[in-house]
Amino acid sequence: MFTGLVQAQGRVRQRETRGGDVRLHISAGELEMTTVGLGDSIAVNGVCLTAVTLDDAGFAADVSLESLQRTTLKNLAAGSPVNLEKSLTLSTPLGGHLVSGHVDAIGEVVERRQDGRSWRFAFRVPDRLARYIAEKGSVCIDGVSLTVNGVDGAVFDVNIVPHTMQATIIDGYRVGSEVNIEVDLVARYLERLVQGDAAARPGGGVSRELLGRHGFDT
């Protein structure tokens, strides 16, 4: 688990193809690595990866075909900057929100504009994720915990303050940039719980009939 508060910016040192998937060698930058051991989890652009080797510069992690297909890690090359966060402990301040490091989909930047001293970004997500994103709710973008300003269909916008622009890779976003999206854990599991017994049946999902039986006005 993570908090969505990026602890350092790293950089890909090497991308190594191994048997069809990939091993990334990552320079950890200012990430404090003395407490990291082999097998520990580190979020790289919001994707939970396992450290399989450690050295003075950073660590290496294997990226499965599943992760390559579902995240922007497929786009990383030597020199690419990345957001890094070590997994939280019971003594870690929860300054962001609970983040699993399990990316739901790839989103796209559709707008970037200055808003006072901050920046306003709008992102489009796949239609299937729109129901999980709510105004003033939480969303994780490339491992950064952010508050949703507003939602319009499958497009939502967030405000990025100067510190976040400097401390993360967001300053490099342009219209058309792809980003990793993880929706709020509570929203994801609440939908599954509402399904009740229907969740065990193929194709079982939230329907108007199901909501009506549970007292929701449809």
Side-chain angles (χ1 to χ4, degrees):
M1 298 294 293
F2 306 90
T3 68
L5 298 184
V6 171
Q7 296 168 333
Q9 284 191 64
R11 195 167 293 274
V12 177
R13 286 183 290 159
Q14 180 185 358
R15 178 190 174 105
E16 180 185 356
T17 300
R18 289 193 168 202
D21 53 32
V22 165
R23 175 168 292 187
L24 294 176
H25 299 262
I26 296 173
S27 173
E30 297 183 1
L31 188 69
E32 205 284 307
M33 293 288 291
T34 59
T35 60
V36 176
L38 289 178
D40 284 355
S41 297
I42 300 176
V44 178
N45 284 356
V47 183
C48 179
L49 298 180
T50 300
V52 295
T53 68
L54 300 169
D55 57 39
D56 292 339
F59 65 98
D62 291 326
V63 185
S64 68
L65 286 174
E66 170 74 4
S67 294
L68 291 172
Q69 292 166 0
R70 294 178 66 101
T71 76
T72 64
L73 296 191
K74 64 185 179 183
N75 300 328
L76 295 182
S80 296
V82 291
N83 292 327
L84 299 176
E85 182 190 354
K86 296 185 294 184
S87 57
L88 62 83
T89 67
L90 292 178
S91 62
T92 303
L94 190 60
H97 71 283
L98 287 175
V99 174
S100 69
H102 301 159
V103 169
D104 291 292
I106 294 174
E108 179 187 3
V109 178
V110 294
E111 183 184 19
R112 169 183 171 145
R113 60 182 172 85
Q114 195 136 17
D115 187 14
R117 292 188 306 111
S118 300
W119 289 86
R120 187 69 63 97
F121 286 84
F123 301 87
R124 178 179 290 109
V125 297
D127 290 350
R128 63 183 176 83
L129 289 189
R131 63 181 179 269
Y132 302 115
I133 299 174
E135 184 174 339
K136 300 308 174 187
S138 297
V139 67
C140 188
I141 300 175
D142 278 343
V144 183
S145 172
L146 295 168
T147 300
V148 177
N149 284 337
V151 181
D152 182 11
V155 175
F156 70 93
D157 67 276
V158 299
N159 186 266
I160 307 297
V161 298
H163 171 77
T164 304
M165 288 287 279
Q166 296 168 3
T168 72
I169 66 171
I170 292 177
D171 190 36
Y173 290 174
R174 299 293 183 268
V175 172
S177 294
E178 292 185 327
V179 298
N180 293 320
I181 301 287
E182 181 184 331
V183 299
D184 186 52
L185 281 169
V186 175
R188 186 192 304 161
Y189 285 110
L190 180 60
E191 179 186 46
R192 192 67 170 167
L193 286 169
V194 168
Q195 293 176 25
D197 293 340
R201 296 194 292 271
V206 176
S207 64
R208 288 181 178 273
E209 186 273 334
L210 177 64
L211 291 174
R213 281 195 285 107
H214 287 273
F216 292 92
D217 183 7
T218 58

